[in-house]
Amino acid sequence: KVTFKVLDRDYANKQLESGGVDLAITLNWHAPEHLKQTRLFSDDFVVLHRKNHPLRGEKMTMKQYLSANHMMVSPLGHAHGPVDEILSSMGRKRTVSLIVPYFMQVADALLNTDLIVTLQRRACTELMKSFPLAISELPIRMRPVRYFMFWHKRYDKDSTNRWLRQICCDVMRSPETNGATNAQPENRRSS
């Protein structure tokens, strides 16, 4: 049986150590020595909104972006994220009107409002397959995020855990990080 969980603030460090969680998938996190990791993919940020949004366009201007009402996905409920840090360093601020814990809540909110959300391109592309949403390019420069998969080193050779890691790699890796269809998950540490 496969069960998905929202992880604690420590990104499942304790859960992986205790065996309560077999794998954790998260972004831009450096694993402690007792965990193994592999990079799954990198992703950049874009602006997602309903197709007929008044601010739609290939690339929003900074003025348009800052004048919009924003929605934010924050599993831990934080009202300040990486976008806000970048804007703050520029002496600017956006208006976040809605904070939701899950990506699946994004579409309903966007379809019925003039809210916009800044998310990873891959998630936006998936949402656009099912909903009349559109992408505009972000008017600020943000570093892409890197997604990693983590597991405890005691399960490194475990056949069930290896099988699950392979499934995750097959589903989540982009062509740029998964050169071969049946590539084995990398057992490496990154710096």
Side-chain angles (χ1 to χ4, degrees):
K1 169 172 92 169
V2 176
T3 303
F4 291 90
K5 295 181 176 183
V6 176
L7 301 178
D8 291 337
R9 188 172 181 75
D10 70 354
Y11 293 103
N13 187 17
K14 291 174 192 163
Q15 293 98 326
L16 287 165
E17 177 67 36
S18 71
V21 170
D22 297 308
L23 296 175
I25 297 172
T26 189
L27 51 94
N28 295 348
W29 186 59
H30 296 288
E33 288 300 317
H34 65 281
L35 300 181
K36 299 286 232 167
Q37 71 184 50
T38 186
R39 185 171 74 91
L40 294 170
F41 62 92
S42 294
D43 206 358
D44 64 331
F45 288 88
V46 294
V47 179
L48 186 67
H49 47 76
R50 61 185 169 88
K51 272 193 173 177
N52 57 350
H53 194 286
L55 299 178
R56 71 188 175 275
E58 195 170 302
K59 184 173 182 178
M60 285 187 185
T61 66
M62 180 63 86
K63 183 177 179 181
Q64 290 172 317
Y65 185 75
L66 294 176
S67 70
N69 284 316
H70 294 254
M71 128 180 246
M72 188 172 161
V73 178
S74 177
L76 299 175
H78 298 291
H80 190 84
V83 171
D84 303 291
E85 290 175 17
I86 292 170
L87 289 172
S88 181
S89 74
M90 300 166 64
R92 299 181 181 227
K93 185 177 176 163
R94 67 180 177 159
T95 302
V96 177
S97 302
L98 177 64
I99 300 170
V100 297
Y102 306 109
F103 286 101
M104 294 314 298
Q105 297 169 306
V106 167
D108 286 339
L110 294 182
L111 291 173
N112 299 303
T113 67
D114 281 340
L115 291 169
I116 65 173
V117 65
T118 304
L119 287 177
Q120 295 88 340
R121 185 179 302 272
R122 191 169 173 161
C124 294
T125 301
E126 286 301 314
L127 286 169
M128 287 171 42
K129 290 177 183 177
S130 301
F131 302 98
L133 299 170
I135 288 175
S136 293
E137 295 302 317
L138 189 61
I140 58 174
R141 191 171 225 154
M142 289 187 69
R143 288 183 178 181
V145 291
R146 298 179 303 162
Y147 284 83
F148 292 89
M149 178 170 53
F150 301 93
W151 61 97
H152 197 280
K153 64 182 177 183
R154 73 174 163 257
Y155 297 114
D156 196 41
K157 305 268 188 249
D158 178 81
S159 61
T160 304
N161 193 280
R162 288 176 60 107
W163 169 83
L164 184 58
R165 293 193 313 258
Q166 186 62 55
I167 295 290
C168 290
C169 286
D170 290 347
V171 169
M172 299 187 81
R173 278 198 170 147
S174 63
E176 71 192 33
T177 59
N178 191 16
T181 316
N182 288 323
Q184 291 296 314
E186 306 165 49
N187 293 331
R188 65 176 173 81
R189 306 221 16 103
S190 68
S191 51

